[in-house]
Amino acid sequence: MVSTFEPVTRPEPVSLDSSLDEELGKAGDQVSISLLFLNVEVISALNLKNTDTAIVDKSDPYCEVLAGDNIQKTEIIQNDLNPVWNSKMHFFVPESTDKITFRLMDDNVNTKDDSLGYAELDLTTLAEINGSFKGELELKDGKNGKVNVHVDCRKMKPIETEIKLCHLEKKLAEKSKEQEATVSALDESEELRKQAIETLSDKEKETIRQADEISEKHGLYQKDLTEKESKILDQAQEIESKIKQCEEAQIALKETELKKKEAETKLTEAEQELIKKAEELEVKQRENAEALTAKEKEIQEVAKKLEEKDKDNSHVEIQKQLEQLDALRTELQNELTAKDRVILEQGKNYDRKKVENAELLSEKEREILEASKALEEKEKIANEAQQKQDEIQNELEKIRVESNELRSQLSSAMAEVENVSNVMQRQEKQKQTECNLLYKKNEALTNELKQLKGELEKHKTSLDTKVQKEACGDSNCVVM
């Protein structure tokens, strides 16, 4: 099962003991004390007067800047009436200071420095608008030349600034703690994200392995199913071939039965013809017998007549009549013998045909019996093949059921994989959102720290100036 997502504990927001307004309220009227912060840049000077008497020598100018009781000066440029200093200075002066003075001086080694002129810039308007001036100022005191300066004027309240600075330092310390907690939360979130990715990877690997096993089993079942289907098709073709042979055997059996019936019909007709001929022979025999009897009677009568005439006729006539009688008897006997031979021959033919018909009938019956046995054997084989086909069909149905179950298991496994993947993706997105929020918060804290450090640096500078002022008092000393 997928482990439940535990969100990262967010750092508690910054909570100070007192607000800035409360701390400013404790300071009272001192908060309203104001100073002017001057950011001055002495850029260059033009067309300065040459106060040196030597032919090849020129003035060595520098510029003194007077702001209230504070004085700062630039470096000295040797032998140059158009010097370029680009010198930057900072002053904290009372709010009542109404001007800043730029005095151009020529540096002399053995004598007092000579004045090259001065210029003044009114601070009243600049102080009201926290404005700035950048440009050239004409030198006064009857001297030629110009000085190019850039002055930024900003009104500040040091006590209020110091209180704000202290408040910012406290807030900075709390923000630092919050940042550390945020970094820790980010590390924890990253660790949880890695664990979630590993968990997802393990689940995906396990699910993919199961899906591969199911797919492999499905492939084996499909292969087995294909082989069995091929066997079933082959057996079905064999069964169809045997059924066809059975049908051909049945047709041959029917043809044999027809031939048997035809043979029986022909045999019956031959028997009837033989019986009819036998009857005719019997009739002829009776007729011959009757004729013979009549001839014998006639011969006897002739013999009697001869005996009666024996006395009257001569011996020659009697002898002729006897010869005629013998010839007639011989003729009758020959005729009877020929007819007997014909009848006997026809009887033998009848018996021979009867035997042949009986043999033919027995052979046809044997063929019919053999065809019947072959047909029964084929029917038995067809029944066995049908039974085997039914068994294979049942087995095929079982395999299809198992295949459907495997497909269902595979679908369930894929659905579970998809569900697990979706859950892990949602958790990953949720953790990524948490991480993005923490990164944004960390970035905001970093920017705020930078801003606080900048203000702290400015406040330290103002404190240094204030300390310098307190150390110098009313004198015009400058700590470089």
Side-chain angles (χ1 to χ4, degrees):
M1 296 296 291
V2 182
S3 59
T4 56
F5 174 69
E6 296 180 359
V8 178
T9 303
R10 296 186 180 183
E12 295 294 332
V14 176
S15 178
L16 299 177
D17 296 335
S18 59
S19 64
L20 178 60
D21 293 335
E22 290 176 352
E23 293 182 2
L24 291 174
K26 291 177 182 178
D29 295 337
Q30 293 181 354
V31 176
S32 59
I33 297 174
S34 299
L35 293 176
L36 295 180
F37 173 70
L38 301 177
N39 187 10
V40 180
E41 181 181 8
V42 181
I43 301 172
S44 61
L46 297 173
N47 301 324
L48 296 180
K49 181 180 179 182
N50 186 7
T51 58
D52 290 344
T53 57
I55 298 175
V56 295
D57 197 10
K58 296 180 181 178
S59 298
D60 304 320
Y62 66 91
C63 179
E64 289 182 342
V65 182
L66 288 77
D69 297 331
N70 300 318
I71 300 176
Q72 295 185 39
K73 65 180 180 179
T74 66
E75 63 178 341
I76 299 170
I77 304 297
Q78 300 292 331
N79 299 320
D80 195 345
L81 300 180
N82 298 294
V84 177
W85 293 287
N86 290 323
S87 179
K88 295 181 179 179
M89 308 169 187
H90 306 286
F91 300 91
F92 279 98
V93 297
E95 187 181 6
S96 59
T97 304
D98 57 351
K99 64 180 180 180
I100 181 172
T101 304
F102 299 92
R103 292 192 303 194
L104 277 298
M105 303 295 293
D106 176 22
D107 180 62
N108 294 321
V109 178
N110 297 322
T111 60
K112 183 179 178 180
D113 294 343
D114 299 325
S115 175
L116 299 177
Y118 72 93
E120 295 178 346
L121 178 65
D122 186 15
L123 297 178
T124 305
T125 304
L126 293 178
E128 290 178 356
I129 62 173
N130 288 332
S132 63
F133 171 81
K134 184 177 182 180
E136 295 177 345
L137 297 175
E138 296 285 344
L139 296 179
K140 298 180 180 179
D141 198 14
K143 303 294 189 294
N144 296 326
K146 299 177 181 179
V147 60
N148 188 7
V149 298
H150 181 196
V151 179
D152 286 326
C153 182
R154 182 180 176 187
K155 187 183 290 187
M156 298 184 64
K157 296 179 179 181
I159 305 299
E160 180 181 358
T161 303
E162 185 176 2
I163 292 172
K164 288 182 178 180
L165 181 60
C166 292
H167 183 77
L168 287 174
E169 287 177 348
K170 293 179 182 179
K171 192 173 180 179
L172 180 61
E174 295 296 330
K175 289 288 184 181
S176 298
K177 293 179 181 179
E178 184 177 353
Q179 186 180 20
E180 292 176 359
T182 302
V183 172
S184 176
L186 284 171
D187 294 339
E188 184 180 357
S189 176
E190 182 66 20
E191 185 66 25
L192 288 174
R193 189 180 71 84
K194 290 180 180 179
Q195 292 177 2
I197 291 173
E198 291 176 358
T199 303
L200 177 61
S201 178
D202 294 339
K203 290 287 183 182
E204 285 180 345
K205 288 179 181 178
E206 180 65 21
T207 306
I208 290 170
R209 186 185 65 78
Q210 293 177 357
D212 290 340
E213 289 180 356
I214 293 172
S215 178
E216 184 177 359
K217 288 181 180 178
H218 178 69
L220 292 175
Y221 275 111
Q222 193 70 28
K223 184 179 179 182
D224 192 14
L225 180 64
T226 304
E227 291 177 355
K228 290 186 176 180
E229 284 180 349
S230 178
K231 290 180 180 179
I232 289 170
L233 289 174
D234 294 339
Q235 291 175 357
Q237 290 178 357
E238 185 177 356
I239 290 168
E240 288 179 359
S241 177
K242 290 181 178 180
I243 290 171
K244 188 175 180 180
Q245 291 177 2
C246 289
E247 291 176 352
E248 291 176 354
Q250 289 177 353
I251 293 170
L253 181 60
K254 289 180 180 179
E255 290 178 353
T256 304
E257 289 177 352
L258 290 174
K259 289 180 180 179
K260 181 181 177 182
K261 288 180 181 180
E262 290 178 358
E264 289 176 351
T265 303
K266 290 179 180 179
L267 181 61
T268 304
E269 292 177 354
E271 288 177 349
Q272 290 177 356
E273 186 176 355
L274 288 173
I275 291 169
K276 185 177 179 181
K277 287 182 178 181
E279 290 176 353
E280 291 177 354
L281 286 173
E282 288 178 358
V283 171
K284 287 181 179 180
Q285 284 178 356
R286 284 196 299 270
E287 290 178 353
N288 290 329
E290 291 175 354
L292 181 61
T293 303
K295 290 290 185 182
E296 285 178 352
K297 288 179 180 181
E298 186 179 352
I299 289 168
Q300 288 175 0
E301 290 176 358
V302 170
K304 287 177 179 181
K305 287 178 180 182
L306 287 173
E307 287 177 357
E308 289 175 358
K309 292 180 178 181
D310 191 19
K311 294 176 178 180
D312 298 332
N313 294 328
S314 65
H315 179 73
V316 177
E317 291 179 356
I318 294 168
Q319 190 66 33
K320 287 181 181 180
Q321 289 179 355
L322 287 173
E323 288 177 359
Q324 290 177 355
L325 287 172
D326 289 333
L328 180 62
R329 183 180 290 175
T330 302
E331 185 178 355
L332 287 172
Q333 286 178 353
N334 291 332
E335 186 177 356
L336 289 172
T337 302
K339 289 182 179 180
D340 289 335
R341 283 198 299 272
V342 171
I343 291 169
L344 290 174
E345 186 68 27
Q346 289 180 352
K348 289 179 180 180
N349 290 332
Y350 171 75
D351 292 335
R352 188 172 60 255
K353 287 183 179 180
K354 188 175 181 180
V355 171
E356 290 177 356
N357 289 329
E359 291 178 355
L360 180 61
L361 181 61
S362 299
E363 185 178 356
K364 292 294 183 181
E365 286 178 349
R366 283 196 300 272
E367 290 179 358
I368 291 169
L369 289 174
E370 290 176 359
S372 298
K373 289 181 181 179
L375 182 60
E376 289 176 357
E377 187 69 24
K378 289 180 179 179
E379 286 181 352
K380 184 178 179 181
I381 293 172
N383 292 329
E384 291 177 355
Q386 184 64 36
Q387 184 178 0
K388 192 172 183 181
Q389 184 180 8
D390 294 337
E391 292 176 357
I392 293 172
Q393 190 67 30
N394 293 330
E395 188 176 357
L396 180 61
E397 188 65 28
K398 290 181 181 178
I399 292 172
R400 285 176 180 170
V401 172
E402 291 178 358
S403 178
N404 292 330
E405 290 178 356
L406 285 174
R407 286 194 183 98
S408 177
Q409 291 178 4
L410 181 60
S411 300
S412 300
M414 294 305 293
E416 185 177 355
V417 170
E418 188 175 358
N419 292 332
V420 170
S421 179
N422 292 333
V423 170
M424 298 305 291
Q425 285 178 359
R426 287 197 296 271
Q427 291 185 357
E428 179 67 18
K429 287 180 180 179
Q430 187 175 358
K431 290 178 182 179
Q432 190 63 38
T433 304
E434 292 284 341
C435 290
N436 292 334
L437 291 175
L438 290 173
Y439 280 127
K440 288 180 180 179
K441 192 170 184 179
N442 187 29
E443 186 177 356
L445 288 173
T446 303
N447 294 331
E448 190 172 353
L449 284 173
K450 289 180 180 179
Q451 186 177 359
L452 290 174
K453 286 179 181 178
E455 293 183 1
L456 181 62
E457 188 67 29
K458 290 179 181 179
H459 188 64
K460 284 182 179 180
T461 303
S462 66
L463 286 178
D464 290 340
T465 305
K466 185 177 180 181
V467 169
Q468 177 182 352
K469 182 179 179 181
E470 289 177 355
C472 294
D474 295 333
S475 63
N476 293 330
C477 66
V478 177
V479 179
M480 297 301 291

